[in-house]
Amino acid sequence: MPTINVVNMEGRACGTMDLPEKIFGIEPNEPAVHAVVRAYLLNQRQGTQSALTRSEVSGGGRKPWRQKGTGRARQGSTRAPQWTHGGIVFAPKPRSYRVTLNKKLKRLALFSVLSSKVSEGEMIVVDQITATEYKTKAMVKFLSAVGAEGKALVVLPEADATVVKSMANIPGVATAPVNAINVYEILKYDKLVIAQDAVNKLKEVYGE
């Protein structure tokens, strides 16, 4: 069972925490992570791209010149793809890129990236992440104190408007409640700063 140090918002150690082996201590499964990230990105696509084929553009009803004897290449329509204002070959049309994955695979990918963050020392557990006022400077100081400068994902046990708004203007920093974290976001950021209560919620949801 992996053990991790717990720090406060000033960066001082205030204890340790045992992490469940099945969530934070497994061998990362790269194919599962790849499948989940790919599905996430595909599901962000709107699928509204559209272009006109040669049958949909206007004009081109008459053969531009006779078939033989002009010295030019034979042409049947001015709306063919090689003509200016002609149709598009294999034109994209609105479609759904939706991909669905089973729950077991998605959990395996989540546990894989969480385990990877722990093994690489990129996960920081904080006893509690709070803010009494909207103060970006205080949040910058907090991230610096815990060693999370640069790109960091701050995970809260539940949405906290004061903390979220205080961090909104910090470049490279994002916040998320623990019930909304996903594999792509965890991989996107270098550091995972997570509140101790958020870890406990993960333990409750996925079991010890």
Side-chain angles (χ1 to χ4, degrees), residues 146-178:
V146 299
E149 301 94 337
K151 296 180 67 176
L153 176 63
V154 180
V155 180
L156 307 169
E158 55 191 24
D160 185 327
T162 310
V163 174
V164 171
K165 289 185 177 181
S166 296
M167 291 192 174
N169 289 331
I170 306 176
V173 174
T175 57
V178 68

Side-chain angles (χ1 to χ4, degrees), residues 7-8 11 13 21 29 39 42 51 53 56 64 72-73 84 95 103 105 117 139-140 145 161 174 176 181 192:
V7 298
N8 58 22
E21 186 79 27
N29 187 305
L42 285 173
T53 64
E56 295 170 316
R72 291 181 289 186
T84 302
R95 53 166 287 196
K103 185 187 294 184
L105 181 64
K117 288 293 183 185
M139 292 295 105
V140 171
I181 59 174
L192 177 65

